[in-house]
């Protein structure tokens, strides 16, 4: 009896050690699951237009901004759903009521508080150094620089040409690894068009309208690029499509219609000359 008691006492520390190891192992997948659950909850809050609640949830989970997936979701919030920002280094958010509109609130509260520091570029570049093959970060950097180019509200030391180079570099890297969508292809087409590189803009605009056939603005800019390349038939077709799709914007509809009519006039003046040349060749 004494022997069995001693044996149990000798085994007790080993059993306790195994229990602790098993507990630690069980906790590891739980942590990963917590990140997934946090992202799912944040996504639902965004759908519900509870933008401040979503940002606070993500900030609590990753206060030092070290988790790429969490940071990417915060970047999405910061770029698209902020109430106010300070040079994209600090942000204010708001949980919207059912009838509230974010654009109206931005105009109504131009001096809203900015309680959440989140220097987008610095955080993304820091993560990029740690995770050089995470091309979702490249995509987010492209989104950031394109947003800055559009709003001129940050990165005052970077010229438009510098910003466009950064957009092209980051989007091209993201696209090469399968991280592109309609907005990134349109943005890259827009930048190439702005640089006067019309032939390079065309495939990006075409990809954008392939992904979203109702994308009127992409068709309009595709028409403009074709027009600059003297591909008039393609330009006319894209302009007419844009005019058809601009159902809620009379100004843009008029611009697209005018472009299509102007191209039609130029085509009409060049066709007879081409026809005569063809006739002479036949004779």
């Amino acid at each position: 009896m004494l022997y069995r008691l001693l044996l149990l006492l000798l085994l007790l520390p080993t059993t306790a050690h195994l229990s602790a190891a098993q507990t630690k192992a069980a906790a590891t997948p739980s942590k990963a699951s917590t990140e997934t659950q946090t992202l799912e909850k944040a996504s639902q809050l965004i759908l519900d237009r509870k933008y401040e609640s979503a940002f606070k949830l993500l900030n609590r989970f990753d206060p030092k901004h070290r988790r790429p997936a969490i940071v990417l979701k915060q970047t999405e919030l910061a770029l698209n759903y902020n109430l106010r920002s300070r040079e994209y280094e600090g942000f204010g958010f708001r949980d919207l009521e059912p009838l509230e509109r974010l654009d109206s609130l931005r105009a109504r509260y131009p001096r809203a508080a900015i309680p959440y520091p989140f220097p987008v570029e610095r955080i993304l570049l820091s993560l990029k150094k740690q995770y050089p093959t995470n091309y979702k970060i490249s995509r987010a950097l492209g989104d950031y620089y394109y947003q800055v180019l559009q709003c001129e509200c940050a990165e005052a030391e970077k010229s438009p040409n510098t910003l466009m180079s950064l957009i092209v570099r980051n989007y091209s890297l993201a696209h090469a690894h399968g991280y592109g969508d309609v907005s990134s292809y349109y943005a890259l087409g827009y930048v190439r068009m702005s640089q006067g590189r019309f032939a390079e803009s065309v495939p990006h605009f075409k990809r954008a309208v392939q992904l979203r056939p109702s994308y009127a603005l992409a068709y309009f800019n595709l028409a403009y690029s074709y027009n600059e390349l003297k591909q008039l038939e393609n330009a006319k077709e894209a302009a007419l499509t844009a005019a058809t799709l601009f159902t809620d914007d009379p100004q843009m509809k008029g611009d697209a219609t005018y472009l299509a009519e102007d191209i039609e006039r130029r085509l009409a003046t060049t066709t007879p000359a081409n026809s005569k040349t063809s006739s002479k060749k036949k004779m």
Side-chain angles (χ1 to χ4, degrees):
M1 186 71 177
L2 182 60
Y3 172 77
R4 289 178 65 187
L5 183 60
L6 289 171
L7 184 60
L8 286 171
L9 288 171
L10 287 170
L11 288 173
L12 187 59
T14 305
T15 305
H17 173 71
L18 287 173
S19 178
Q22 289 168 348
T23 301
K24 184 177 180 180
T28 303
S30 174
K31 192 172 185 180
S33 175
T34 301
E35 178 173 292
T36 301
Q37 291 170 358
T38 301
L39 288 167
E40 289 175 352
K41 187 172 181 181
S43 295
Q44 186 58 53
L45 286 168
I46 292 172
L47 286 174
D48 295 337
R49 306 195 309 156
K50 304 301 182 185
Y51 304 128
E52 184 169 26
S53 293
F55 195 86
K56 288 167 72 174
L57 172 70
L58 296 164
N59 231 24
R60 283 195 302 268
F61 188 80
D62 181 28
K64 295 186 178 180
H65 311 306
R66 292 176 178 173
R67 292 174 172 265
I70 300 293
V71 167
L72 291 174
K73 184 60 71 174
Q74 286 182 290
T75 301
E76 177 190 340
L77 270 164
L79 295 183
N80 300 306
Y81 304 112
N82 73 79
L83 178 61
R84 187 165 173 250
S85 74
R86 182 181 57 252
E87 297 182 345
Y88 283 171
E89 293 196 344
F91 296 87
F93 299 95
R94 180 177 173 131
D95 291 349
L96 302 191
E97 297 299 326
L99 297 179
E100 287 184 323
R101 291 174 47 126
L102 193 55
D103 54 352
S104 299
L105 289 172
R106 284 170 177 161
R108 185 177 174 186
Y109 299 106
R111 297 182 179 276
I114 303 177
Y116 303 105
F118 189 74
V120 178
E121 184 190 35
R122 196 186 323 158
I123 290 170
L124 290 176
L125 289 176
S126 175
L127 281 178
K128 189 64 180 171
K129 287 181 181 178
Q130 298 176 60
Y131 304 96
T133 59
N134 187 334
Y135 300 105
K136 290 181 180 180
I137 301 173
S138 300
R139 165 60 202 269
L141 280 164
D143 292 342
Y144 169 74
Y145 292 124
Y146 182 68
Q147 193 93 327
V148 170
L149 180 69
Q150 295 295 301
C151 74
E152 299 179 351
C153 53
E155 306 292 344
E157 74 282 3
K158 292 182 175 69
S159 69
N161 286 335
T162 298
L163 288 170
M164 285 191 279
S165 295
L166 289 168
I167 292 164
V168 170
R169 181 194 309 168
N170 284 283
Y171 274 151
S172 297
L173 192 58
H175 289 176
H177 292 85
Y179 295 109
D181 65 8
V182 61
S183 62
S184 63
Y185 281 107
Y186 173 82
L188 194 47
Y190 175 86
V191 168
R192 285 310 196 195
M193 183 182 71
S194 300
Q195 293 173 321
R197 300 169 74 160
F198 301 105
E200 293 177 53
S201 75
V202 166
H204 300 303
F205 287 136
K206 288 178 72 175
R207 181 60 174 151
V209 299
Q210 181 184 25
L211 292 170
R212 186 189 295 168
S214 62
Y215 201 168
L217 191 56
Y219 272 111
F220 182 81
N221 284 322
L222 178 60
Y224 183 86
S225 292
Y226 274 138
N227 188 48
E228 292 296 316
L229 293 167
K230 310 303 181 191
Q231 297 182 29
L232 298 185
E233 287 289 354
N234 289 335
K236 183 182 78 169
E237 182 181 350
L240 287 171
T241 303
T244 302
L245 292 171
F246 277 124
T247 56
D248 299 324
D249 191 333
Q251 178 64 52
M252 288 302 301
K253 187 179 185 69
D255 289 346
T257 301
Y258 176 82
L259 178 59
E261 291 172 349
D262 181 62
I263 293 168
E264 183 64 42
R265 283 192 293 270
R266 283 184 286 147
L267 282 169
T269 59
T270 57
T271 301
N274 291 337
S275 299
K276 289 178 183 178
T277 303
S278 300
S279 299
K280 288 179 181 179
K281 285 181 179 179
K282 287 180 180 178
M283 290 173 65

